[in-house]
């Protein structure tokens, strides 16, 4: 069991650098993690009249979610399809939906504030919102239509096997397109290389975009390489 490493002596900026999603907690409690992040968390708590126990618990939840991220996919090769589907929905779909929603205002802000001097951010904004729209629609289709068909394929009750297989192939094509958008984001940001004048929010956006890329690739790997091939 990995112990919770953060204390009120930790600098706010260091917490965000280590766990970018904690920025959402600081935003909620109106703590400036960007320009005012070079202070211990205890000082920020005192200055804003925050309940220490409440904010530490929220930070702990972020840490535990991050620590439980999927790292070993071997176990899924031996799991039944329903177990895999439930895991994809609970771990990848819900997590991706949440992150896409929470990250959106940061992407918009950085593009608006720094887009004139860093025009690549305008393209990042465009690509991110294209990715967000497509992934949300894709996940909804998986849950409403294709995953139920896969469960029917697994138990032998599917009415039209060819149609079900074609829909799985369509999902794979959508995965390819999502991957291409992520590759374009990586290209336009020069592999998430930060300029010298990057502020805290700028850094946060690049780190969370890169983490979103990793989450998506693991999501797609689990489906394309473990779940879907069972039915071809």
């Amino acid at each position: 069991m990995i112990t919770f490493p953060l204390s009120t002596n930790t600098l706010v900026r260091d917490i965000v650098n280590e766990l970018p999603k904690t920025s959402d907690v600081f935003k909620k409690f109106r703590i400036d993690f960007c320009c005012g992040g070079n202070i211990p968390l205890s000082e920020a708590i005192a200055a804003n009249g925050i309940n220490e126990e409440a904010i530490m618990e929220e930070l702990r939840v972020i840490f535990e979610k991050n620590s439980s991220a999927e790292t070993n996919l071997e176990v899924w090769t031996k799991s039944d399809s329903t177990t895999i589907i439930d895991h994809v929905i609970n771990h990848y779909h819900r997590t991706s939906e949440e992150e896409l929603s929470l990250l959106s205002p940061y992407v918009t802000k950085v593009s608006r504030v720094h887009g004139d001097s860093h025009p690549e951010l305008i393209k990042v904004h465009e690509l991110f919102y294209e990715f967000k729209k497509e992934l949300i629609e894709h996940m909804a289709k998986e849950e409403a239509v294709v995953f139920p068909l896969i469960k029917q394929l697994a138990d032998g009750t599917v009415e039209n096997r060819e149609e079900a297989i074609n829909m799985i192939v369509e999902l794979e094509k959508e995965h390819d397109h999502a991957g291409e958008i992520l590759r374009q984001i990586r290209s336009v940001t020069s592999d998430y290389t930060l300029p010298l004048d990057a502020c805290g929010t700028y850094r946060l956006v690049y780190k969370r975009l890169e983490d979103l890329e990793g989450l998506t690739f693991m999501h797609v790997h689990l489906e394309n390489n473990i779940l879907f091939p069972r039915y071809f």
Side-chain angles (χ1 to χ4, degrees):
M1 177 70 177
I2 301 174
T3 55
F4 183 55
L6 305 179
S7 76
T8 54
N9 295 323
T10 312
L11 296 183
V12 171
R13 70 177 185 188
D14 290 343
I15 295 173
V16 176
N17 286 341
E18 182 66 26
L19 293 168
K21 287 190 179 183
T22 57
S23 59
D24 298 320
V25 176
F26 293 133
K27 184 179 179 183
K28 173 183 175 181
F29 284 95
R30 293 180 169 80
I31 291 177
D32 179 5
F33 59 84
C34 182
C35 301
N38 192 28
I39 59 172
L41 178 57
S42 57
E43 190 175 323
I45 288 172
N48 290 276
I50 295 167
N51 181 297
E52 180 179 319
E53 187 177 336
I55 190 169
M56 291 303 288
E57 179 57 29
E58 294 207 24
L59 292 172
R60 185 187 302 277
V61 169
I62 296 291
F63 170 77
E64 289 177 352
K65 281 185 178 179
N66 184 75
S67 298
S68 65
E70 188 63 59
T71 55
N72 180 12
L73 290 172
E74 287 298 318
V75 63
W76 301 110
T77 62
K78 300 174 183 177
S79 298
D80 63 79
S81 295
T82 296
T83 300
I84 294 174
I85 287 169
D86 290 344
H87 178 72
V88 166
I89 291 172
N90 294 326
H91 185 81
Y92 291 104
H93 285 197
R94 297 293 86 84
T95 302
S96 296
E97 288 167 351
E98 179 183 51
E99 181 60 1
L100 287 166
S101 175
L102 292 171
L103 184 53
S104 293
Y106 294 120
V107 174
T108 298
K109 179 182 178 181
V110 168
S111 173
R112 185 178 67 248
V113 173
H114 300 285
D116 287 344
S117 54
H118 296 285
E120 68 274 10
L121 292 173
I122 306 298
K123 186 64 177 176
V124 168
H125 181 274
E126 174 190 324
L127 290 166
F128 171 79
Y129 278 95
E130 179 186 0
F131 176 80
K132 177 182 177 180
K133 178 178 182 294
E134 292 198 9
L135 188 61
I136 288 174
E137 290 175 355
H138 172 84
M139 292 187 296
K141 182 168 71 174
E142 284 188 334
E143 291 184 34
V145 180
V146 187
F147 283 168
L149 285 174
I150 289 176
K151 290 180 180 181
Q152 291 174 1
L153 282 167
D155 62 23
T157 61
V158 70
E159 293 183 4
N160 189 330
R161 180 180 178 83
E162 184 178 352
E163 180 185 16
I165 297 300
N166 287 340
M167 294 201 74
I168 293 174
V169 171
E170 187 177 309
L171 288 185
E172 289 185 327
K173 290 178 181 177
E174 291 175 8
H175 285 164
D176 289 344
H177 190 246
E180 177 56 31
I181 296 173
L182 291 172
R183 280 187 285 275
Q184 288 181 45
I185 293 175
R186 179 170 280 280
S187 175
V188 79
T189 60
S190 300
D191 290 323
Y192 298 105
T193 301
L194 289 158
L196 293 175
D197 61 343
C199 68
T201 305
Y202 202 136
R203 294 173 182 275
L204 176 78
V205 165
Y206 271 28
K207 179 65 170 69
R208 287 177 68 161
L209 282 172
E210 192 165 19
D211 287 348
L212 180 63
E213 177 192 75
L215 180 73
T216 304
F217 285 168
M218 291 289 281
H219 172 186
V220 170
H221 173 76
L222 191 55
E223 293 182 6
N224 278 16
N225 299 328
I226 297 178
L227 180 62
F228 295 167
R230 297 178 176 188
Y231 305 103
F232 293 150

